[in-house]
Amino acid sequence: QSALTQVTSVSGSPGQSITISCTGTSSDVGDYDHISWYQHHPGEAPKLMIYDVSNRPLGVSDRFSGSQSGNTASLTISGLQTEDEADYYCSSYTTGRTLVFGGGTKLTVL
Amino acid sequence: QVQLVESGGGLVKPGGSLRLSCAVSGFTFSDHYMSWIRQAPGKGLEWVSYISTSGSAIYYADSVKGRFTISRDNAKNSLYLQMSSLRVEDTAVYYCARARGVGGVVYRFDYWGQGTLVTVSS
């Protein structure tokens, strides 16, 4: 159950687009279409932003989109807004009916 | 609206025990799998355990297997995590979350609480 790999931090200016990657293995990201992304403002409850690679829950802005290629999943945020500044975590279903998270990426909106 | 409120966190010595609770409202608790997820200070999220609607199916992360026990009381709309043989590395904010998936397999967590802090230190 090794953690998925995410870059520690990314930054962008309001209005720009950024992409956060999440790299796993053929036992998790590469083998299942059950990748989720969570937004976490410290001190608050984490929020589900994307599930099953590219699906958005009701109420999540369409500025958030997800994709996957091989062992790497990606979260793209377009039209960056100041309120997007948060920590973002990917998660994948993995063998043995367990789940694994990424180490998290801190997004700074300059 | 959906609410999950964790409680029971605190300071405990290594080797000690602690029981966390999560009170749920805003949805039919007995219809949903539930999970615990934790975040150590300065670290990322780590899935801990999840439990089926009836409690008959339970899964744990290797890091807590044999030491932690997840349970639920559908009559009380409550989820629990009994933690024993606690280690310094179990220090974390513990979140309860509603789990979603298909065919008894959990793929994601769609509602989370704000967490309760567990500190394991001598």
Side-chain angles (χ1 to χ4, degrees), chain A residues 42-99:
Chain A
E44 298 183 8
K47 179 183 178 182
L48 177 66
M49 305 301 286
I50 296 286
Y51 68 95
D52 291 350
V53 178
S54 59
N55 293 290
R56 279 186 307 276
L58 283 175
V60 172
S61 170
D62 60 4
R63 297 186 298 105
F64 291 83
S65 62
S67 63
Q68 176 188 9
S69 177
N71 293 341
T72 298
S74 299
L75 172 71
T76 298
I77 309 173
S78 59
L80 270 179
Q81 299 179 359
T82 54
E83 57 261 38
D84 298 334
E85 185 162 296
D87 298 321
Y88 290 85
Y89 294 91
C90 61
S91 173
S92 174
Y93 174 79
T94 183
T95 53
R97 297 196 173 205
T98 60
L99 295 102

Side-chain angles (χ1 to χ4, degrees), chain B residues 64-108:
Chain B
V64 306
K65 200 173 294 182
R67 302 186 299 121
F68 290 11
T69 301
I70 191 172
S71 63
R72 63 190 297 160
D73 185 334
N74 288 340
K76 294 183 177 180
N77 289 345
S78 292
L79 176 72
Y80 306 102
L81 186 68
Q82 177 68 47
M83 303 183 295
S84 60
S85 302
L86 281 162
R87 306 166 180 168
V88 171
E89 55 265 34
D90 293 320
T91 295
V93 174
Y94 285 74
Y95 298 96
C96 78
R98 190 174 81 170
R100 303 300 300 272
V102 176
V105 183
V106 170
Y107 296 135
R108 63 187 183 271

Side-chain angles (χ1 to χ4, degrees), chain A residues 1 34-36 38 40 43-48 50-52 87 89 91-93 96-104, chain B residues 33 37 39 43-47 50 59-63 65 95 102-114:
Chain A
Q1 294 173 348
H34 299 296
I35 313 301
S36 301
Y38 300 88
H40 187 206
E44 298 183 8
K47 179 183 178 182
L48 177 66
I50 296 286
Y51 68 95
D52 291 350
D87 298 321
Y89 294 91
S91 173
S92 174
Y93 174 79
R97 297 196 173 205
T98 60
L99 295 102
V100 61
F101 282 91
Chain B
Y33 280 47
I37 297 142
Q39 183 176 31
K43 302 291 187 181
L45 297 171
E46 179 187 14
W47 169 73
Y50 69 78
Y59 295 88
Y60 296 102
D62 288 344
S63 57
K65 200 173 294 182
Y95 298 96
V102 176
V105 183
V106 170
Y107 296 135
R108 63 187 183 271
F109 310 103
D110 62 351
Y111 288 100
W112 300 56
Q114 291 196 315

